[in-house]
Amino acid sequence: MSFPFVRVAVGSRNPVKLAAVRAVLERVQPSLHLEGVEVESGVPDQPVGDEQTQRGARNRAIAALRVTGAELAVGLEGGVVVLDDGRMRSCAWAVVVDRDGREGMGGSLSMPLPDLVAARIRAGDELGHAMDAIANVVGTKHGRGAVGILTAGLIDRQGAYEPMVAYALAPWLAPAFFAPVEADDV
């Protein structure tokens, strides 16, 4: 497999997000140059719903590409989804864009959130801050994440983010399968 991009930007300086992108991309591009830049997501600090969370990830990727002039950019955004019965689950999305406007998206990290966490989010906390408060820790979102706490360390935030980065890279990792479809091909 030939992965043509060397200069990649991430629309965040969060060390967990950078590590997840690096862990995936270095497997296909050992001479990777990765740059994290602080950009606005264009969505609330605590996105609600998959659509809003996806929009935040896309905005981060596009802004990172524009600010850095990189060949490829990745945006990652975590959010929550309110279920029909009022409970909450987590969500996270990665969007990858290149200079030609091509885009890939991958999602992950859908897990139930405790009612106490949901109550704090409804009161205005971000998920990471709610987890800090109930777990009596500091820096959840820059470390193991809510997923690390709620799975008793079976998986951490970086490990949860890596698959969605890989999913979002699919159009570049397997480009023949993402070629435009002609009527004769169906």
Side-chain angles (χ1 to χ4, degrees), residues 62-85:
I62 292 168
L65 192 69
R66 186 179 61 248
V67 167
T68 64
E71 300 165 299
L72 192 77
V74 183
L76 298 115
E77 193 75 30
V80 299
V81 174
V82 179
L83 304 174
D84 290 340
D85 63 5

Side-chain angles (χ1 to χ4, degrees), residues 4 6 12 17 23 28 35-36 38 42 48 60-61 76-77 88 105 114 121-123 127 145 160 167 169 178:
V6 175
S12 177
K17 293 179 178 183
V28 295
E35 178 181 1
E38 202 60 47
V48 177
R60 286 181 184 280
L76 298 115
E77 193 75 30
M88 281 188 191
M105 182 187 304
I121 292 169
R122 283 187 189 89
L127 174 57
Y167 302 154
L169 286 166
F178 291 90

